[in-house]
PDB file of all heavy atoms in Angstrom:
ATOM      1  N   ALA A 382     102.660 125.270  73.018  1.00 88.00           N
ATOM      2  CA  ALA A 382     101.200 125.388  72.843  1.00 88.00           C
ATOM      3  C   ALA A 382     100.804 125.727  71.403  1.00 88.00           C
ATOM      4  O   ALA A 382      99.877 125.110  70.866  1.00 88.00           O
ATOM      5  CB  ALA A 382     100.643 126.407  73.829  1.00 88.00           C
ATOM      6  N   PRO A 383     101.458 126.686  70.731  1.00 89.00           N
ATOM      7  CA  PRO A 383     101.008 127.011  69.366  1.00 89.00           C
ATOM      8  C   PRO A 383     101.156 125.825  68.409  1.00 89.00           C
ATOM      9  O   PRO A 383     100.273 125.574  67.587  1.00 89.00           O
ATOM     10  CB  PRO A 383     101.926 128.160  68.949  1.00 89.00           C
ATOM     11  CG  PRO A 383     102.526 128.678  70.192  1.00 89.00           C
ATOM     12  CD  PRO A 383     102.543 127.558  71.170  1.00 89.00           C
ATOM     13  N   LEU A 384     102.284 125.087  68.524  1.00 91.00           N
ATOM     14  CA  LEU A 384     102.482 123.943  67.637  1.00 91.00           C
ATOM     15  C   LEU A 384     101.504 122.819  67.994  1.00 91.00           C
ATOM     16  O   LEU A 384     100.950 122.150  67.111  1.00 91.00           O
ATOM     17  CB  LEU A 384     103.931 123.452  67.744  1.00 91.00           C
ATOM     18  CG  LEU A 384     104.389 122.458  66.683  1.00 91.00           C
ATOM     19  CD1 LEU A 384     104.173 123.016  65.282  1.00 91.00           C
ATOM     20  CD2 LEU A 384     105.858 122.107  66.879  1.00 91.00           C
ATOM     21  N   ASP A 385     101.290 122.648  69.306  1.00 91.00           N
ATOM     22  CA  ASP A 385     100.383 121.597  69.738  1.00 91.00           C
ATOM     23  C   ASP A 385      98.965 121.833  69.201  1.00 91.00           C
ATOM     24  O   ASP A 385      98.272 120.881  68.843  1.00 91.00           O
ATOM     25  CB  ASP A 385     100.342 121.522  71.274  1.00 91.00           C
ATOM     26  CG  ASP A 385      99.465 120.386  71.773  1.00 91.00           C
ATOM     27  OD1 ASP A 385      99.923 119.232  71.709  1.00 91.00           O
ATOM     28  OD2 ASP A 385      98.330 120.644  72.192  1.00 91.00           O
ATOM     29  N   LEU A 386      98.570 123.108  69.127  1.00 89.00           N
ATOM     30  CA  LEU A 386      97.235 123.407  68.602  1.00 89.00           C
ATOM     31  C   LEU A 386      97.072 122.886  67.180  1.00 89.00           C
ATOM     32  O   LEU A 386      95.993 122.490  66.763  1.00 89.00           O
ATOM     33  CB  LEU A 386      96.994 124.923  68.623  1.00 89.00           C
ATOM     34  CG  LEU A 386      96.383 125.480  69.905  1.00 89.00           C
ATOM     35  CD1 LEU A 386      96.274 126.996  69.815  1.00 89.00           C
ATOM     36  CD2 LEU A 386      95.012 124.875  70.149  1.00 89.00           C
ATOM     37  N   GLN A 387      98.188 122.907  66.422  1.00 92.00           N
ATOM     38  CA  GLN A 387      98.133 122.408  65.040  1.00 92.00           C
ATOM     39  C   GLN A 387      98.185 120.885  64.986  1.00 92.00           C
ATOM     40  O   GLN A 387      97.603 120.264  64.106  1.00 92.00           O
ATOM     41  CB  GLN A 387      99.301 122.981  64.218  1.00 92.00           C
ATOM     42  CG  GLN A 387      99.364 124.498  64.180  1.00 92.00           C
ATOM     43  CD  GLN A 387      98.103 125.104  63.588  1.00 92.00           C
ATOM     44  OE1 GLN A 387      97.622 124.657  62.558  1.00 92.00           O
ATOM     45  NE2 GLN A 387      97.555 126.122  64.248  1.00 92.00           N
ATOM     46  N   LEU A 388      98.950 120.302  65.918  1.00 94.00           N
ATOM     47  CA  LEU A 388      99.236 118.870  65.811  1.00 94.00           C
ATOM     48  C   LEU A 388      98.301 117.996  66.625  1.00 94.00           C
ATOM     49  O   LEU A 388      98.197 116.785  66.368  1.00 94.00           O
ATOM     50  CB  LEU A 388     100.681 118.598  66.245  1.00 94.00           C
ATOM     51  CG  LEU A 388     101.764 119.249  65.389  1.00 94.00           C
ATOM     52  CD1 LEU A 388     103.142 119.016  66.012  1.00 94.00           C
ATOM     53  CD2 LEU A 388     101.727 118.698  63.986  1.00 94.00           C
ATOM     54  N   THR A 389      97.660 118.578  67.629  1.00 91.00           N
ATOM     55  CA  THR A 389      96.850 117.731  68.506  1.00 91.00           C
ATOM     56  C   THR A 389      95.729 117.071  67.709  1.00 91.00           C
ATOM     57  O   THR A 389      95.205 117.628  66.745  1.00 91.00           O
ATOM     58  CB  THR A 389      96.286 118.553  69.686  1.00 91.00           C
ATOM     59  OG1 THR A 389      95.829 117.654  70.684  1.00 91.00           O
ATOM     60  CG2 THR A 389      95.126 119.444  69.270  1.00 91.00           C
ATOM     61  N   ASP A 390      95.402 115.839  68.105  1.00 92.00           N
ATOM     62  CA  ASP A 390      94.395 115.044  67.393  1.00 92.00           C
ATOM     63  C   ASP A 390      94.795 114.707  65.961  1.00 92.00           C
ATOM     64  O   ASP A 390      93.939 114.422  65.123  1.00 92.00           O
ATOM     65  CB  ASP A 390      93.010 115.726  67.429  1.00 92.00           C
ATOM     66  CG  ASP A 390      92.348 115.545  68.780  1.00 92.00           C
ATOM     67  OD1 ASP A 390      92.629 114.523  69.433  1.00 92.00           O
ATOM     68  OD2 ASP A 390      91.576 116.430  69.189  1.00 92.00           O
ATOM     69  N   THR A 391      96.114 114.759  65.666  1.00 96.00           N
ATOM     70  CA  THR A 391      96.592 114.230  64.386  1.00 96.00           C
ATOM     71  C   THR A 391      97.460 113.006  64.656  1.00 96.00           C
ATOM     72  O   THR A 391      97.793 112.694  65.812  1.00 96.00           O
ATOM     73  CB  THR A 391      97.448 115.239  63.606  1.00 96.00           C
ATOM     74  OG1 THR A 391      98.728 115.361  64.262  1.00 96.00           O
ATOM     75  CG2 THR A 391      96.787 116.605  63.514  1.00 96.00           C
ATOM     76  N   TYR A 392      97.873 112.358  63.585  1.00 97.00           N
ATOM     77  CA  TYR A 392      98.715 111.174  63.738  1.00 97.00           C
ATOM     78  C   TYR A 392     100.109 111.493  64.265  1.00 97.00           C
ATOM     79  O   TYR A 392     100.841 110.602  64.691  1.00 97.00           O
ATOM     80  CB  TYR A 392      98.769 110.374  62.421  1.00 97.00           C
ATOM     81  CG  TYR A 392      97.821 109.210  62.491  1.00 97.00           C
ATOM     82  CD1 TYR A 392      96.466 109.383  62.202  1.00 97.00           C
ATOM     83  CD2 TYR A 392      98.250 107.973  62.934  1.00 97.00           C
ATOM     84  CE1 TYR A 392      95.582 108.337  62.330  1.00 97.00           C
ATOM     85  CE2 TYR A 392      97.369 106.921  63.075  1.00 97.00           C
ATOM     86  CZ  TYR A 392      96.040 107.110  62.775  1.00 97.00           C
ATOM     87  OH  TYR A 392      95.168 106.057  62.929  1.00 97.00           O
ATOM     88  N   PHE A 393     100.496 112.791  64.258  1.00 97.00           N
ATOM     89  CA  PHE A 393     101.775 113.152  64.870  1.00 97.00           C
ATOM     90  C   PHE A 393     101.771 112.767  66.353  1.00 97.00           C
ATOM     91  O   PHE A 393     102.759 112.256  66.878  1.00 97.00           O
ATOM     92  CB  PHE A 393     102.003 114.666  64.718  1.00 97.00           C
ATOM     93  CG  PHE A 393     103.397 115.099  65.103  1.00 97.00           C
ATOM     94  CD1 PHE A 393     104.419 115.123  64.163  1.00 97.00           C
ATOM     95  CD2 PHE A 393     103.687 115.476  66.409  1.00 97.00           C
ATOM     96  CE1 PHE A 393     105.706 115.519  64.512  1.00 97.00           C
ATOM     97  CE2 PHE A 393     104.968 115.865  66.768  1.00 97.00           C
ATOM     98  CZ  PHE A 393     105.984 115.887  65.813  1.00 97.00           C
ATOM     99  N   ILE A 394     100.644 112.999  67.012  1.00 96.00           N
ATOM    100  CA  ILE A 394     100.531 112.670  68.437  1.00 96.00           C
ATOM    101  C   ILE A 394     100.555 111.156  68.635  1.00 96.00           C
ATOM    102  O   ILE A 394     101.166 110.643  69.582  1.00 96.00           O
ATOM    103  CB  ILE A 394      99.234 113.279  69.022  1.00 96.00           C
ATOM    104  CG1 ILE A 394      99.255 114.802  68.879  1.00 96.00           C
ATOM    105  CG2 ILE A 394      99.050 112.877  70.482  1.00 96.00           C
ATOM    106  CD1 ILE A 394     100.351 115.502  69.632  1.00 96.00           C
TER     107      ILE A 394
END
Side-chain angles (χ1 to χ4, degrees):
Chain A
L384 192 55
D385 183 76
L386 271 177
Q387 303 301 314
L388 297 174
T389 196
D390 283 331
T391 73
Y392 260 83
F393 190 89
I394 300 297

